Amino acid sequence: MTESMIRPPIKKLAPVKWMRTHLFSNWFNSLLTLAVGYLLITSVGPLLNWLIFDATFQGSGPDDCVEAGACWLFVKQRLNFFIYGFYPDEFQWRVDIMFALLAAAFVPQFIERFPGRKWLGIFGMTGLPIIGCVLIPGGILGLEEVGSSKWGGLMLTLILAYIGILASLPIGVLLALGRRSDMPVIRGLCVVFIEVWRAVPLITVLFMASVMLPLFLPDGVSFEKLARALIGITLWQSAYMAEVIRGGLQAIPRGQYEAANALGLGYWRKMGLVILPQALKLVIPGIVNTFISLFKDTTLVLIIGLFDILGAVQSTIADPAWQNVAIEGYVFVAFCFWVFCFGISRYSQNLERKLDTGHKT
Amino acid sequence: MTQHTESKDVQAVNKPGIIRVEGMHKWYGNFHVLKDLNLTIDQGERIVICGPSGSGKSTFIRCINRLEEHQQGRIIVDDVELTDDVRHIDSVRREVGMVFQHFNLFPHLTVLENCCLSPIWVRKTPRREAEACAMEYLERVKIPDQANKYPGQLSGGQQQRVAIARALCMKPKIMLFDEPTSALDPEMIKEVLDVMIELAGSGMTMICVTHEMGFAKTVADRVIFMDGGEIVEEAPPSEFFSNPREARTQQFLQQILQH
């Protein structure tokens, strides 16, 4: 047999032929190609001009910005506020350490052969938040205390999203297991919890946490607005998470439960070793979807007076010193969100590929 | 958890038989699936249960390790009575291995991990020892070279042999087979039956629900015929196949031996 007969034929077209088959196969497609091409040419050019070529990157103040291009100088000069909020300059190294640790824990996850990346990931989910709880608020180990009212910007967004995501997953797993439990009391409690929290908009939850909750607490007992918001976000998110995970649990064939039972594995081992690893793997897309929407929903804390990145940018836009910088500000916020959400999404695809063992028995 | 095995001494040890089923009934809702089953099986016996589909034979053997609950009568396995008591159920399940029609291997674990899971977590065997033991059983079912593959990469026959090895790794006293060859392509049935025949030769107590009459003839000590949730006939294979007493048995044998 010759070489050419062993391999499947490769379909490869010359550029001109490719265009004829894909872009100009008949008069209607040709028309569409031309119309779309025209739109691209007329819009991409000016957009790039505004974004890059005519934009102002250097300068000393608002006066250096020109009408025709974006004023990135604004973002550049206010970057400190966008990232740290009111966090005092002299302590910002503490936040920087957290950013560096976050990057150290998660960037290697994208590199296939990075040594010990599993442990870095585990560190990211256990050690990192503990270090964060010490470093960022301070007040112990000789660190100056920085109250949470001073936190803001990207840092606050990441804190809200990170803790919300990290805490809601295990709570969601327990709720999902509870909802499928044979014990009526546990099942009932879980159903009520999930249905109540899921039926309430996040804004309402945040309002309740910041305005109503202090009214119910006894005098003298109070905890910070940020903590209340975090608890609200976490519980709200875990109700969603529970339903996503329940979907995965229900997709596991009965035979898997029976085989685990027949081998004498008790409830927790059966769930922990056999059912959940498969169920969670199945619903990675759903879990990540929920994570991403939570990440973006954290912007709602603006409503209770916490300045996350969007809040920080929005308050700066109102600064009379800078004129007409709203678009630049929002584009910057959108870009930041996109970078993180895209990162989460790529990571999850990575994970799915890695965990694929060609299952479906 | 392992301490509870001693508590089985509390149960009466006055009858022979590693499995004793006494006046057992089971209902699904209002549907009476199993009617007054009585059966005593001695250690080392090989039992084949056959019967038309829907006769309750699968349900019956699934009651023996409590994958299904019975509502009336008694099931005593290795001197432990199966009740709602979870400790009793756990201790019975440790001694009873089961092989399913659809293999039910854990797809997220390799063949070796499938075999080691229960010895490590339930029997608390050290990992290295459990792996060595698993390799021994994988050799016995003739697939040691597949140990690090995932179940999804194996053929049906190979998967079923892994499932047998997985059950054996718990060193059970009793093995239950629930139609182990029914989901297999014809050319793979033999490799699984060969393993089962080899196992039968080793003195394992086996209860096997199957349609493989050849297997029943070669290895069974007794063949049990079930129909409509009852044990209709119970006889050594020589007698069962050549000289069935009951009309229902005769009819069944005619149907399955016709082609």
Side-chain angles (χ1 to χ4, degrees):
Chain A
M1 215 181 278
T2 58
E3 186 79 3
S4 63
M5 288 178 77
I6 300 169
R7 299 211 176 124
I10 297 163
K11 213 172 170 185
K12 200 174 173 207
L13 296 176
V16 176
K17 201 142 182 235
W18 183 88
M19 281 170 69
R20 284 192 84 142
T21 45
H22 290 98
L23 299 176
F24 299 99
S25 54
N26 57 37
W27 68 265
F28 182 68
N29 280 353
S30 307
L31 212 64
L32 278 183
T33 304
L34 289 175
V36 171
Y38 175 76
L39 282 176
L40 278 177
I41 289 164
T42 51
S43 61
V44 170
L47 190 66
L48 285 177
N49 279 342
W50 185 82
L51 279 173
I52 300 165
F53 302 120
D54 294 339
T56 316
F57 294 93
Q58 306 286 342
S60 54
D63 300 332
D64 290 323
C65 287
V66 292
E67 192 75 20
C71 181
W72 297 124
L73 188 60
F74 160 69
V75 173
K76 200 174 147 192
Q77 293 206 335
R78 292 317 200 81
L79 198 59
N80 194 276
F81 181 62
F82 294 166
I83 291 177
Y84 305 99
F86 297 106
Y87 208 89
D89 286 352
E90 64 269 33
F91 303 129
Q92 281 174 5
W93 58 271
R94 278 146 59 170
V95 183
D96 292 336
I97 287 179
M98 292 314 295
F99 281 134
L101 288 177
L102 190 71
F106 290 103
V107 172
Q109 307 301 325
F110 294 94
I111 303 159
E112 199 66 45
R113 292 192 197 288
F114 199 91
R117 66 172 187 161
K118 188 173 136 198
W119 295 106
L120 283 172
I122 292 172
F123 164 75
M125 285 180 273
T126 53
L128 186 73
I130 296 171
I131 296 174
C133 285
V134 174
L135 262 187
I136 293 183
I140 41 171
L141 298 176
L143 293 167
E144 196 83 29
E145 188 170 341
V146 180
S148 67
S149 56
K150 294 208 171 79
W151 308 359
L154 182 64
M155 164 199 149
L156 183 69
T157 299
L158 287 177
I159 290 173
L160 287 168
Y162 201 70
I163 297 186
I165 285 171
L166 213 59
S168 64
L169 190 61
I171 301 177
V173 166
L174 291 177
L175 282 171
L177 290 177
R179 193 168 185 168
R180 284 172 58 76
S181 163
D182 293 329
M183 288 174 266
V185 176
I186 291 179
R187 190 172 57 230
L189 286 174
C190 289
V191 169
V192 169
F193 181 94
I194 291 169
E195 295 303 337
V196 166
W197 283 93
R198 206 164 51 133
V200 182
L202 183 57
I203 291 200
T204 319
V205 173
L206 291 171
F207 261 131
M208 292 285 278
S210 77
V211 182
M212 302 284 283
L213 197 64
L215 299 180
F216 299 125
L217 288 172
D219 282 344
V221 178
S222 73
F223 49 114
E224 290 180 59
K225 189 155 64 175
L226 180 66
R228 289 182 309 224
L230 261 176
I231 292 170
I233 287 177
T234 303
L235 294 180
W236 181 80
Q237 177 73 2
S238 55
Y240 274 93
M241 198 52 72
E243 287 300 275
V244 172
I245 291 165
R246 187 166 67 98
L249 290 176
Q250 279 169 348
I252 304 301
R254 215 167 64 123
Q256 294 288 310
Y257 291 87
E258 288 179 349
N261 282 339
L263 284 169
L265 296 168
Y267 179 81
W268 291 107
R269 291 199 187 115
K270 172 173 72 179
M271 289 300 169
L273 298 168
V274 176
I275 305 300
L276 279 172
Q278 296 183 59
L280 291 177
K281 187 168 82 181
L282 273 179
V283 294
I284 287 174
I287 291 176
V288 171
N289 205 20
T290 328
F291 281 170
I292 288 179
S293 71
L294 172 71
F295 194 87
K296 294 180 295 181
D297 282 346
T298 55
T299 50
L300 290 171
V301 295
L302 182 61
I303 269 186
I304 56 167
L306 294 172
F307 284 89
D308 72 324
I309 186 168
L310 181 62
V313 168
Q314 215 160 20
S315 66
T316 324
I317 287 166
D319 184 351
W322 294 89
Q323 303 280 313
N324 301 322
V325 286
I327 298 175
E328 287 86 342
Y330 290 130
V331 167
F332 172 71
V333 172
F335 178 73
C336 288
F337 274 101
W338 180 81
V339 166
F340 281 99
C341 293
F342 186 67
I344 298 175
S345 154
R346 296 305 302 182
Y347 174 57
S348 82
Q349 283 173 25
N350 232 344
L351 202 63
E352 272 179 71
R353 244 196 325 275
K354 204 177 73 185
L355 296 178
D356 182 27
T357 55
H359 61 105
K360 289 145 201 136
T361 41
Chain B
M1 229 184 202
T2 38
Q3 271 75 19
H4 301 305
T5 28
E6 276 90 3
S7 70
K8 65 191 168 193
D9 300 339
V10 179
Q11 304 291 326
V13 198
N14 49 13
K15 274 190 189 174
I18 193 160
I19 299 173
R20 278 174 292 153
V21 180
E22 295 164 4
M24 194 260 272
H25 290 261
K26 176 172 176 58
W27 288 264
Y28 280 134
N30 285 326
F31 178 59
H32 200 173
V33 229
L34 297 177
K35 298 167 191 162
D36 192 30
L37 299 188
N38 289 286
L39 184 68
T40 303
I41 297 168
D42 292 331
Q43 188 145 22
E45 258 198 305
R46 287 140 313 188
I47 307 289
V48 164
I49 303 178
C50 61
S53 61
S55 59
K57 52 197 192 305
S58 278
T59 311
F60 175 41
I61 75 161
R62 289 157 60 87
C63 284
I64 295 173
N65 64 353
R66 195 76 171 184
L67 288 183
E68 303 278 352
E69 224 172 284
H70 61 284
Q71 279 100 21
Q72 202 183 314
R74 308 216 297 161
I75 301 177
I76 299 156
V77 181
D78 196 21
D79 297 326
V80 179
E81 177 166 3
L82 281 169
T83 57
D84 285 329
D85 193 331
V86 183
R87 288 169 304 173
H88 288 192
I89 297 174
D90 282 346
S91 86
V92 166
R93 282 176 179 167
R94 275 199 291 272
E95 303 305 329
V96 179
M98 186 160 200
V99 175
F100 297 88
Q101 183 177 358
H102 296 289
F103 331 135
N104 297 351
L105 293 176
F106 305 135
H108 62 301
L109 301 177
T110 63
V111 164
L112 191 63
E113 288 166 338
N114 262 280
C115 293
C116 293
L117 188 73
S118 202
I120 289 175
W121 290 92
V122 179
R123 288 244 192 260
K124 312 284 184 203
T125 318
R127 176 173 294 274
R128 191 169 294 179
E129 204 178 301
E131 282 178 358
C133 172
M135 285 309 296
E136 240 169 72
Y137 282 112
L138 287 174
E139 248 154 64
R140 203 162 144 192
V141 300
K142 300 181 185 68
I143 36 175
D145 44 328
Q146 315 282 359
N148 292 314
K149 288 193 181 171
Y150 286 97
Q153 296 165 295
L154 306 185
S155 73
Q158 290 172 322
Q159 288 192 47
Q160 192 61 299
R161 284 184 285 151
V162 172
I164 295 173
R166 179 177 71 175
L168 290 175
C169 280
M170 280 294 276
K171 307 226 163 69
K173 291 183 179 156
I174 300 159
M175 285 284 285
L176 307 175
F177 291 86
D178 187 2
E179 306 205 27
T181 54
S182 302
L184 295 176
D185 290 337
E187 77 270 22
M188 295 173 184
I189 291 178
K190 188 177 173 298
E191 63 187 55
V192 171
L193 287 181
D194 284 346
V195 168
M196 289 169 62
I197 290 168
E198 196 263 334
L199 186 64
S202 74
M204 174 68 76
T205 312
M206 288 167 72
I207 306 178
C208 186
V209 171
T210 185
H211 298 292
E212 297 296 329
M213 291 305 138
F215 174 77
K217 277 179 199 164
T218 15
V219 304
D221 295 309
R222 269 188 289 166
V223 180
I224 289 166
F225 175 69
M226 286 181 70
D227 190 17
E230 295 167 308
I231 293 179
V232 174
E233 187 162 347
E234 191 186 326
S238 52
E239 209 175 299
F240 182 86
F241 290 106
S242 56
N243 195 14
R245 291 188 303 269
E246 305 285 331
R248 274 192 282 180
T249 319
Q250 287 160 11
Q251 197 192 349
F252 174 74
L253 286 175
Q254 242 168 25
Q255 272 165 356
I256 60 162
L257 298 177
Q258 234 163 28
H259 46 85

